[in-house]
Amino acid sequence: MNELNFSKAGEEPRVSVVIPVYNGGAYLDRCLEALQASSYPVAECILVDDASTDGATETVVQRYPVRLVKLEQQCGPAFARNWGVYHSSGEIIFFVDADVVLQPDTISTAIGAFLQDESIDAVFGSYDDLPGDRAFLSQYRNLVHHWVHQNGATEAQSFWAGCGAIRREVFVSIGGFDRDAMRIEDIELGHRLHQAGYKIHLLKDMLCKHLKIWSLFSILKTDMWSRAVPWVALMQREGEAFDNLNVNAASKFATALTGLLVLSLLGLVLAGRWVAVVPFLVLIILCIPGAYLGERGDSHRWRSYLSIALTVAGTLSALLWAADTQVQLLLALLPLMLCALIVASQWPFFRFLNAIRGSGYLLAAIPMQLVFFIICGLSVPLGIAQSRVRFMQEKLDPGRLPENADRLFVRDA
């Protein structure tokens, strides 16, 4: 049997790795294999199976010396992580998702930060720019995450449990993850840490690889119901607007512009000026093939040029076709100009895509970014409504347990 390294006596803190998993057998093997190759000696790995039904977890863990803790019913990742900490003994708790592959020096980078600055209480890292799945949607989703974290402030106000570490005594003192945080339990934990005066650092050289295969449906579902809506509800509950990571001024501005774009398109259609919408639709449709025409590397540069040429030529042709009068031209230009402003507001991200994947990926990301900002816009009223409903439930039912009352409080080893 392969064996993990174990902490040596001395100044090196004991590290307990906690991995929640639910039907993650397809990725778990690679996750544990990478953990085994860690350059930092891991004291223990606690794998918490959240009542998986695929039967793969037991098969995978037979090949690795990990401690498997099984839950009889599905309780969610917040409870699973808390339960893993309860069964751990390390001074540093390192959280990893089951579909994440650490680099050999990932844990060492985290521990180095703790040892270098004793005031740091928690750290988290970033996905690398080489996602495990090569399909465009998986590439796009993970590269967005990489870009956001690589350009975030070092002193963070949030936390990420996909690849993050925290001092055990701090985790215990803050009460662990909130089971009622609706899939943003790590963000909520980071907010509580920040509010309590604890110091969180985003380490941009603390890298890992994400293996998840994304589909359009999973992106829409995750971004809307597992990220944007609960994040807005959290901001509403706390009475403050966050300004970190992807909740920054540029993103808020792009969301507002996207709202104007959607309203302009609806207005044109309702006014019977649907022809003025055609050039914008042609632009969006022609951007999509760019994911396949544009590739990284000089040998495929001609395909990137081809994708740009097709998009520009097709959009101009549609604009000339729709602009039979000066008024019609101005109406057709309106959504195109708003789209150009949105791209300009996010240009550093698009420039990043162009540098590592080519202009084709840049073009194909435009429709995805518009979808993302539409989700952000819709999430504002939905998040506020969700927060209000919860407030009314608490007000109408005085006997209701206070929020976080069912949180699993971890023991102090």
Side-chain angles (χ1 to χ4, degrees):
M1 176 186 293
N2 297 323
E3 294 188 5
L4 295 172
N5 293 320
F6 287 88
S7 294
K8 303 173 183 178
E11 296 183 356
E12 293 181 334
R14 279 176 57 87
V15 174
S16 295
V17 175
V18 174
I19 307 174
V21 59
Y22 174 73
N23 290 346
Y27 305 122
L28 184 59
D29 189 73
R30 291 185 61 184
C31 174
L32 295 177
E33 182 180 9
L35 180 62
Q36 180 177 268
S38 172
S39 62
Y40 188 88
V42 175
E44 59 184 352
C45 177
I46 312 296
L47 183 67
V48 184
D49 189 306
D50 195 15
S52 295
T53 59
D54 61 358
T57 303
E58 293 86 347
T59 302
V60 172
V61 298
Q62 290 177 2
R63 297 192 290 272
Y64 303 93
V66 302
R67 182 177 181 185
L68 176 62
V69 179
K70 297 192 65 175
L71 300 178
E72 295 183 359
Q73 62 181 18
Q74 190 176 2
C75 299
F79 185 95
R81 292 189 182 101
N82 286 347
W83 197 230
V85 176
Y86 182 85
H87 286 85
S88 70
S89 60
E91 304 163 60
I92 302 294
I93 308 298
F94 199 105
F95 295 106
V96 183
D97 282 346
D99 58 0
V100 166
V101 171
L102 301 182
Q103 294 186 357
D105 64 347
T106 303
I107 297 179
S108 297
T109 300
I111 302 305
F114 285 125
L115 294 176
Q116 185 175 3
D117 186 351
E118 294 184 356
S119 69
I120 295 177
D121 301 294
V123 298
F124 63 96
S126 164
Y127 291 146
D128 62 20
D129 60 0
L130 295 170
D133 184 55
R134 297 298 299 171
F136 170 74
L137 289 177
S138 296
Q139 291 279 310
Y140 164 78
R141 187 65 174 76
N142 290 312
L143 287 174
V144 168
H145 184 284
H146 171 81
W147 163 259
V148 168
H149 279 217
Q150 289 297 310
N151 289 273
T154 299
E155 293 193 12
Q157 301 175 25
S158 184
F159 184 70
W160 179 43
C163 177
I166 185 170
R167 297 185 189 274
R168 181 186 185 83
E169 66 271 16
V170 173
F171 186 80
V172 172
S173 68
I174 206 70
F177 290 104
D178 180 3
R179 292 184 60 197
D180 202 28
M182 295 185 58
R183 305 295 295 181
I184 59 166
E185 66 277 355
D186 47 359
I187 296 172
E188 193 276 340
L189 174 68
H191 178 66
R192 273 189 287 124
L193 289 169
H194 177 69
Q195 290 292 91
Y198 290 110
K199 190 173 180 180
I200 312 168
H201 267 204
L202 166 55
L203 304 180
K204 299 176 184 181
D205 56 347
M206 179 179 161
L207 298 175
C208 60
K209 186 182 300 296
H210 199 201
L211 302 178
K212 182 174 180 177
I213 299 175
W214 289 91
S215 66
L216 182 59
F217 175 77
S218 64
I219 289 176
L220 295 175
K221 179 182 176 182
T222 299
D223 283 351
M224 173 68 83
W225 300 112
S226 299
R227 293 292 184 271
V229 170
W231 203 329
V232 171
L234 175 62
M235 289 189 286
Q236 182 74 9
R237 187 188 76 186
E238 298 296 328
E240 63 176 296
F242 298 169
D243 188 19
N244 62 94
L245 296 181
N246 54 347
V247 186
N248 53 37
S251 295
K252 293 172 184 175
F253 180 62
T255 299
L257 287 176
T258 305
L260 291 176
L261 172 61
V262 172
L263 290 176
S264 70
L265 294 172
L266 290 175
L268 289 172
V269 172
L270 292 176
R273 301 278 190 168
W274 62 269
V275 174
V277 178
V278 173
F280 173 77
L281 295 179
V282 170
L283 168 65
I284 296 303
I285 292 172
L286 290 178
C287 280
I288 297 174
Y292 307 98
L293 290 174
E295 293 288 344
R296 182 181 183 182
D298 293 339
S299 61
H300 299 292
R301 185 172 295 179
W302 67 271
R303 296 199 296 186
S304 294
Y305 293 153
L306 176 61
S307 65
I308 295 175
L310 288 176
T311 303
V312 172
T315 304
L316 288 177
S317 298
L319 185 61
L320 292 174
W321 172 80
D324 54 349
T325 65
Q326 187 174 6
V327 172
Q328 195 76 357
L329 174 62
L330 293 175
L331 291 176
L333 282 173
L334 176 60
L336 293 175
M337 292 175 63
L338 286 171
C339 183
L341 286 174
I342 295 168
V343 172
S345 71
Q346 300 295 303
W347 183 244
F349 170 65
F350 287 111
R351 184 172 57 191
F352 158 74
L353 286 183
N354 183 67
I356 69 169
R357 292 292 186 275
S359 58
Y361 271 77
L362 184 159
L363 291 174
I366 293 176
M368 294 304 304
Q369 285 290 89
L370 293 178
V371 169
F372 172 73
F373 291 125
I374 289 173
I375 289 174
C376 291
L378 292 174
S379 69
V380 173
L382 292 174
I384 293 174
Q386 184 183 86
S387 178
R388 293 298 183 185
V389 167
R390 181 172 297 180
F391 173 79
M392 291 303 298
Q393 287 175 339
E394 295 173 354
K395 186 175 181 180
L396 295 174
D397 185 9
R400 181 178 180 268
L401 286 175
E403 192 171 359
N404 304 337
D406 64 340
R407 182 189 299 147
L408 174 66
F409 285 90
V410 295
R411 69 184 178 188
D412 191 0

